[in-house]
Amino acid sequence: MKLSDYVVRFVSRLGVKHVFLVPGGGAMHLNASLAQCPDLVAVCNQHEQASAMAAENYAKATNGLGVAMVTTGPGGTNAITGVTGGWLDSTPMLVISGQVKRPDRMFAPDGTPLGMRQLGVQEVDIVSIVRPVTKYAVTVLDPASIRYHLEKAVWLARHGRPGPVWIDIPLDVQAAPVDEEGLDGFDPAEMPPVFDGSTLAAQVQEAIEALNRAERPLIFVGNGVRLARAEQEFRRLFAQLGIPAVATWCAADIISSEDPLFVGRPGSLASRGANFALQNCDFLLSIGARLDFAITGYAPAKFARAAHKVVVDIDPAEIGKLDPYVQTPVVADAGAFLGEMLRQAGSIDVKERTCWKKRCADWKTRYPVVLDEHRQPDGPVSIFHLAEVISQETTPDDLMISGSSGSGIEIFLFACPTRTGQRIYHTAGLGSMGNGLPGSVGVCLAGGRRRTICVDGDGGFQFNIQELATVRQLNLPIKYFVLNNDGYASIRASQNNFFGAPQVGCDGRTGLMLPDLLRVAESYDIPAVRIADQRTLRQDVRRILEKPGPVICDVMVIPDEVRGPRLSSMQLPDGTMVSKPLEDLWPFLDREEFFSNMIVPPLEESLV
């Protein structure tokens, strides 16, 4: 058997149905084997960045493995952005790259570098480049080791904190014959334990004791629960505890926005209710949430400062960064923790917490994200209103994906409520422009070609606009709502805030040219419409969703719509700046109203 045939058959046995690729000479044997495999569909992208991003979102949609295949040199380097997104979001991905023949490598047979930058045509030492953003990266030099490397890579991609892996295969190794029965495999016993579970029962007992003492407990659910495939265990515990909950943006669809105990998504850009609940709780159970700066408001010491914090994370470094502000740190798989919590559920006191639950529900209803002013009928479309309408007009079977930067995430995803059973995808950690379009391809294919809705900014949409050819080729039923805000609205806002006016490269006045999207759509033979105002927004959205196949909608939105509520600073009369805590979001509430929302004593920064 040819080694490349073995590789492709190995991938097909993983349950993966699609491989995203741009073919190339350095991967020609791999490409040929993929084309001949009846169990895999080769999805031909227009750019390797799109292949990696499609694979990344395919993995998120299946909660499995996404696979991309690239060639040597620029094929590999083009894929790095998508791989980095998967690394930061803990997404299991397998990238298989071609490489120049072993005799053409810029390394001696013993691995010693020859001192040159390149020897083989289009040669790049891709493994050294991607090693910091992968869990495993190796160039396969011995054909007999292929099974070992593939099995080890996939095991690492899926176990512990998931993430991308990279297998680089020289051209002559791809073509080498192998004896499938004689190949040595990987034994997971070689690896150290993912986590030490010997103290888990005691830590859960400690968490339950703290919960039993609490009057204002709160659950914070993160994407680690989904990665552990523990959604059902979480929902069982959530129902049993009957206490309010918040979620990270990546886990926002684990709990429906309609659930009376769900308060919202806290952080630096957040609903006031979610932040008030977080900052006033006296017990916080965080499961599988990374608790990065965007959530803690760049101030871990002030984060849920009155609470006994139980933080569950598979990665000890993520908990370590919060030291010494976590009372019960638990390094464990989210599923293992939830299982143990359910086993000890008999120790949980059923306490009367009606006042706390009513307070959280009041915060949620009194401070909604979408306001009446966003629904005013005249003029350009409010993205807040668009988010609300799309959420209401779609079904739980629809798949949704937003852009990962700018208005697509900072307003649309922020304002879009989640419905029971509906999934919303994006790439949170990296926030890369250009993720929406290729990501929607991966999500749609992973979802069995179900109707998919993608909302992205006009700037980010351009980054991988060539993938409209892929969408047209496959006739995917993806509805693109492109937010036409004359360029990079988020960059424009930053330049306004820091320099008083837009400076460079954020719109037509500062050097950025964006083409007419309707004419672009026509060139790809994709139907396109434009929404110029929101008087008939609901009817327009409904009509677009009902159209068969792909559709592009150019939405003329308020160019510089205010993003908020958000974390901000305040300048005092003497010119000094005061950084506000997480509960005190801009636009700042009247101090009397703000104080009425605080159970925990306000910090000095909020007294002004």
Side-chain angles (χ1 to χ4, degrees):
M1 173 187 291
K2 191 165 70 167
L3 182 140
S4 60
D5 291 335
Y6 175 82
V7 171
V8 169
R9 292 185 190 182
F10 177 90
V11 170
S12 70
R13 290 194 292 265
L14 296 173
V16 176
K17 300 300 182 185
H18 299 82
V19 174
F20 302 90
L21 80 154
V22 175
M28 63 181 180
H29 294 287
L30 291 164
N31 298 160
S33 295
L34 177 61
Q36 295 159 15
C37 180
D39 299 322
L40 291 173
V41 176
V43 181
C44 298
N45 297 107
Q46 304 288 317
H47 195 287
E48 290 91 354
Q49 184 185 92
S51 297
M53 289 177 170
E56 174 197 1
N57 285 277
Y58 184 94
K60 288 179 175 178
T62 60
N63 203 14
L65 192 71
V67 180
M69 184 180 289
V70 298
T71 189
T72 186
T77 57
N78 283 344
I80 291 173
T81 300
V83 171
T84 305
W87 169 253
L88 296 178
D89 278 9
S90 306
T91 306
M93 300 169 57
L94 169 63
V95 179
I96 303 169
S97 65
Q99 184 55 270
V100 300
K101 300 189 300 294
R102 284 173 292 182
D104 297 346
R105 295 174 72 241
M106 51 187 170
F107 296 92
D110 64 357
T112 303
L114 297 178
M116 60 195 68
R117 295 187 178 185
Q118 185 184 69
L119 181 61
V121 176
Q122 290 190 302
E123 181 188 10
V124 170
D125 181 12
I126 193 65
V127 164
S128 295
I129 295 173
V130 302
R131 190 169 282 129
V133 291
T134 56
K135 293 188 70 179
Y136 188 66
V138 64
T139 298
V140 180
L141 298 177
D142 179 2
S145 68
I146 185 62
R147 176 186 169 190
Y148 174 86
H149 289 303
L150 285 170
E151 290 181 353
K152 183 176 181 178
V154 171
W155 190 90
L156 287 169
R158 290 171 163 173
H159 288 78
R161 182 176 181 178
V165 293
W166 192 297
I167 301 292
D168 186 47
I169 310 178
L171 194 58
D172 58 326
V173 175
Q174 296 171 36
V178 293
D179 175 10
E180 184 175 11
E181 300 301 322
L183 296 175
D184 291 332
F186 164 73
D187 184 355
E190 297 176 21
M191 307 303 297
V194 173
F195 71 94
D196 179 8
S198 61
T199 61
L200 184 58
Q203 290 174 315
V204 168
Q205 181 181 350
E206 180 182 332
I208 290 175
E209 290 171 354
L211 170 62
N212 289 340
R213 294 190 299 268
E215 299 297 329
R216 305 185 305 278
L218 188 70
I219 301 176
F220 197 157
V221 59
N223 194 49
V225 169
R226 177 177 289 116
L227 292 172
R229 294 174 174 80
E231 296 102 317
Q232 294 306 316
E233 289 84 352
F234 171 79
R235 293 186 178 106
R236 283 175 54 200
L237 181 65
F238 180 43
Q240 187 159 349
L241 295 180
I243 62 176
V246 294
T248 64
W249 287 30
C250 281
D253 45 17
I254 290 180
I255 309 176
S256 167
S257 298
E258 302 160 349
D259 192 300
L261 288 175
F262 181 65
V263 193
R265 312 168 202 164
S268 301
L269 179 67
S271 62
R272 294 187 191 276
N275 279 17
F276 278 137
L278 181 66
Q279 295 299 88
N280 281 298
C281 71
D282 64 357
F283 172 86
L284 181 67
L285 174 57
S286 172
I287 311 174
R290 192 160 60 90
L291 301 182
D292 60 359
F293 281 148
I295 289 175
T296 63
Y298 299 86
K302 301 174 184 177
F303 174 76
R305 58 187 177 274
H308 180 108
K309 291 180 281 293
V310 179
V311 177
V312 183
D313 200 297
I314 193 70
D315 189 340
E318 295 291 0
I319 298 179
K321 74 177 186 293
L322 303 170
D323 185 67
Y325 307 113
V326 175
Q327 287 69 37
T328 306
V330 183
V331 178
D333 175 81
F337 176 87
L338 288 165
E340 184 61 32
M341 193 88 171
L342 289 168
R343 278 188 287 274
Q344 297 190 35
S347 301
I348 300 173
D349 293 343
V350 180
K351 295 183 67 172
E352 176 59 48
R353 298 186 175 103
T354 303
C355 290
W356 170 240
K357 289 190 278 190
K358 286 184 176 179
R359 191 73 179 268
C360 289
D362 177 65
W363 280 323
K364 179 180 177 180
T365 55
R366 187 149 45 106
Y367 297 112
V369 174
V370 182
L371 308 174
D372 286 340
E373 63 191 63
H374 298 133
R375 305 183 184 100
Q376 295 303 312
D378 296 326
V381 175
S382 164
I383 306 172
F384 288 90
H385 189 200
L386 178 69
E388 181 179 64
V389 169
I390 288 178
S391 175
Q392 293 170 349
E393 293 298 326
T394 51
T395 72
D397 286 336
D398 289 324
L399 302 165
M400 298 180 65
I401 181 168
S402 78
S404 294
S405 60
S407 301
I409 187 171
E410 292 175 0
I411 302 183
F412 175 80
L413 183 62
F414 169 48
C416 187
T418 56
R419 302 172 66 184
T420 302
Q422 192 172 69
R423 292 289 310 276
I424 303 179
Y425 304 92
H426 66 293
T427 297
L430 189 61
S432 52
M433 296 178 75
N435 183 74
L437 211 167
S440 68
V441 174
V443 165
C444 186
L445 290 172
R449 291 174 170 260
R450 302 206 315 265
R451 186 170 68 179
T452 303
I453 293 87
C454 175
V455 180
D456 203 354
D458 54 354
F461 198 68
Q462 289 293 325
F463 269 48
N464 274 308
I465 201 166
Q466 76 284 339
E467 295 310 308
L468 288 176
T470 308
V471 173
R472 178 70 280 172
Q473 170 71 19
L474 299 175
N475 194 32
L476 297 176
I478 307 176
K479 321 303 175 187
Y480 294 100
F481 292 86
V482 183
L483 310 174
N484 190 329
N485 50 28
D486 189 27
Y488 305 155
S490 183
I491 301 300
R492 188 162 56 231
S494 296
Q495 293 183 1
N496 266 317
N497 292 338
F498 286 97
F499 307 109
Q503 300 288 308
V504 62
C506 57
D507 52 31
R509 297 180 300 278
T510 57
L512 177 69
M513 183 272 182
L514 295 179
D516 184 325
L517 199 56
L518 268 61
R519 294 175 64 188
V520 170
E522 182 181 3
S523 70
Y524 284 101
D525 192 26
I526 295 177
V529 297
R530 176 171 286 136
I531 298 177
D533 61 61
Q534 59 183 23
R535 284 178 295 177
T536 58
L537 181 61
R538 189 172 299 276
Q539 298 93 309
D540 292 337
V541 168
R542 190 175 296 163
R543 187 170 61 252
I544 291 163
L545 293 177
E546 291 172 351
K547 287 179 177 290
V551 182
I552 294 174
C553 179
D554 188 24
V555 187
M556 309 304 293
V557 301
I558 300 170
D560 294 298
E561 189 163 18
V562 176
R563 292 159 164 78
R566 68 174 188 263
L567 193 65
S568 186
S569 300
M570 182 177 184
Q571 188 171 24
L572 301 180
D574 64 2
T576 59
M577 299 296 294
V578 174
S579 296
K580 293 287 189 174
L582 204 58
E583 66 270 22
D584 199 359
L585 298 175
W586 181 92
F588 303 118
L589 297 176
D590 174 82
R591 290 301 84 181
E592 183 176 351
E593 180 180 358
F594 172 75
F595 296 144
S596 72
N597 285 296
M598 292 304 296
I599 302 170
V600 171
L603 294 172
E604 183 178 350
E605 301 93 289
S606 293
L607 300 179
V608 293

